[in-house]
Amino acid sequence: MHRPFNFSAGPATLPQDVLMQAREELLNWQGTGVSVMEMSHRSPEFLHICAQAEHSLRTLLSVPDDFHILFVQAGATAQNAMIPLNIGRAGVIDVAVTGHWSQQSYHEAQRYARQVNLACSGAGTGFTDIPAPAQWQLSGQASYLHLCSNETVHGVEFQQLPDLRALGCDTPLVIDCSSHIAARPLDWSRIGLAYAGAQKNLGPAGLSVVIVRDALLGHALPACPSAFNYRLLADSHSLYSTPPTWSIYMAGLVFDWIARQQDSGLHGLAAVEARNIRQASWLYQAIDASGLYENRVNPAVRSRMNVPFFLTDESLNDAFVSGARARGLLQLNGHKITGGMRASLYNAMTDAGVQALIQYLQDFEQQHSRQASVQQVLA
Ligand code: PMP
């Protein structure tokens, strides 16, 4: 079946093989006669699905044994509250603000901490660059430093995580990796807690994955809701209350799909990463080579996953989006706070999808410059 190419930032395109497998199993999961949606979360079948998903993710991301993997109800925004309630007992939080999502985290942290320290801000560059970690102002007494390792709206990505210890600071690092989890390896030696909403690279909405070092748990603030207490979730293998069972099942299928991927002689996560690097570099090259499109992000920190771009003639925006839709290229509008366009190239995006987008960029530009020269002749 030929489906359109979906460039949504999330909820986002999922691998077609996964959707087909879910369709196949929808009414009758592996001969049980019931759908995963209809199973008790305490049934042996669901316990197996949940444990398997956890195991697959641990293997895929090489998560060390002293980290728990938690499947948590609600999205990434909720973690901006859950994290300070669970691991913020010092009442001081450092936040690196490098775009829209870390700015949200910065504001939300103020509801739960006595002091929230702005470690750095990319606002001065319009969030087109990431301030060098050596220049960050670290308070030295924070419970943790929060950063967003891939800013979905502004399209800036940490190509490597800061080494806080090398900066003379043993503050645990908390990363929001919602929009590039499972697209590249994570350096666990630098991480205290990593979290991600599922609805970009992992599966349907309604689920967050929280991967947290055991040593950080056990000191939740009294106000922390039990349903979101990471210690209780870890001890119950994410089954303290009913988890988003369908989203966990789907995420498990996605993890196994990633593990099966082959590309350029590589397999699993490395294959997916190689594909992402290739697709993003094709698209950035096409944008940089054109006179009609521009990406304003410093090339050293450009995101492989979310490529924002602007038309130099913004009066063409509507025509661009509707022409794209007519070609089966969906959801290219930028986020409402930035305007412009954005193409998200999550793991499920195919080379053919990126090639079709680039062809469209070129055709639209050519058509526009022809129209512009006709208008000049007529003027
Ligand atoms: N962080 C990042 C990096 C995101 O991209 C998003 C969603 N686009 C969020 C947080 C918020 O996620 P949710 O809507 O699941 O709360």
Side-chain angles (χ1 to χ4, degrees), residues 4 19 33 57 72 91 103 114 127 143 159 161 183 227 255 287 338 340 352:
L19 294 174
L57 183 60
V72 187
Q103 197 161 46
R114 181 164 45 77
F127 298 122
S143 291
Q159 301 305 325
L161 293 174
F255 302 150
I287 291 170
T338 53

Side-chain angles (χ1 to χ4, degrees), residues 77-114:
T77 304
Q79 301 314 317
N80 284 331
M82 298 312 140
I83 295 167
L85 287 169
N86 275 282
I87 67 166
R89 72 175 160 155
V92 181
I93 298 171
D94 289 356
V95 184
V97 173
T98 58
H100 174 73
W101 291 110
S102 49
Q103 197 161 46
Q104 297 272 99
S105 304
Y106 174 69
H107 290 309
E108 185 70 3
Q110 291 166 12
R111 299 166 61 94
Y112 301 98
R114 181 164 45 77

Side-chain angles (χ1 to χ4, degrees), residues 118-136:
L118 185 63
C120 72
S121 172
T125 64
F127 298 122
T128 57
D129 209 348
I130 296 179
Q135 314 297 326
W136 293 4

Side-chain angles (χ1 to χ4, degrees), residues 66-331:
D66 60 332
F67 282 77
H68 300 281
I69 295 181
L70 312 177
F71 296 124
V72 187
Q73 285 269 12
T77 304
Q79 301 314 317
N80 284 331
M82 298 312 140
I83 295 167
L85 287 169
N86 275 282
I87 67 166
R89 72 175 160 155
V92 181
I93 298 171
D94 289 356
V95 184
V97 173
T98 58
H100 174 73
W101 291 110
S102 49
Q103 197 161 46
Q104 297 272 99
S105 304
Y106 174 69
H107 290 309
E108 185 70 3
Q110 291 166 12
R111 299 166 61 94
Y112 301 98
R114 181 164 45 77
Q115 188 190 325
V116 181
N117 170 45
L118 185 63
C120 72
S121 172
T125 64
F127 298 122
T128 57
D129 209 348
I130 296 179
Q135 314 297 326
W136 293 4
Q137 307 289 319
L138 304 172
S139 67
Q141 35 159 340
S143 291
Y144 59 89
L145 181 137
H146 181 288
L147 63 80
C148 176
S149 45
N150 183 64
E151 287 280 2
T152 322
V153 173
H154 288 93
V156 300
E157 180 172 15
F158 281 81
Q159 301 305 325
Q160 56 179 28
L161 293 174
D163 182 354
L164 297 186
R165 254 174 264 120
L167 298 173
C169 174
D170 61 1
T171 302
L173 186 61
V174 167
I175 67 165
D176 173 359
C177 56
S178 295
S179 48
H180 70 170
I181 188 170
R184 59 193 303 156
L186 287 171
D187 182 351
W188 296 106
S189 71
R190 296 188 178 178
I191 295 173
L193 183 153
Y195 71 98
Q199 69 271 23
K200 297 153 196 310
N201 252 346
L202 306 184
L207 165 70
S208 290
V209 171
V210 175
I211 306 177
V212 57
R213 210 179 266 278
D214 182 65
L216 291 177
L217 299 187
H219 310 287
L221 303 184
C224 182
S226 303
F228 296 112
N229 181 308
Y230 295 156
R231 176 86 264 165
L232 295 178
L233 284 161
D235 291 346
S236 61
H237 297 282
S238 304
L239 294 168
Y240 178 78
S241 63
T242 315
T245 52
W246 176 258
S247 296
I248 293 171
Y249 156 73
M250 288 292 290
L253 297 188
V254 171
F255 302 150
D256 294 342
W257 175 84
I258 297 173
R260 292 196 302 273
Q261 295 308 292
Q262 310 269 354
D263 198 298
S264 321
L266 301 164
H267 67 274
L269 188 62
V272 158
E273 186 183 24
R275 193 187 297 155
N276 291 332
I277 292 171
R278 178 175 67 236
Q279 293 180 356
S281 80
W282 285 344
L283 184 54
Y284 283 118
Q285 269 169 33
I287 291 170
D288 290 345
S290 94
L292 181 59
Y293 314 105
E294 59 168 347
N295 170 279
R296 299 171 184 161
V297 176
N298 172 2
V301 297
R302 282 175 167 177
S303 169
R304 296 174 187 168
M305 293 280 105
N306 308 99
V307 181
F309 58 96
F310 296 88
L311 273 65
T312 48
D313 178 356
E314 297 228 299
S315 70
L316 296 173
N317 280 358
D318 290 346
F320 177 86
V321 171
S322 57
R325 203 180 305 117
R327 282 213 196 173
L329 306 169
L330 306 184
Q331 310 204 56

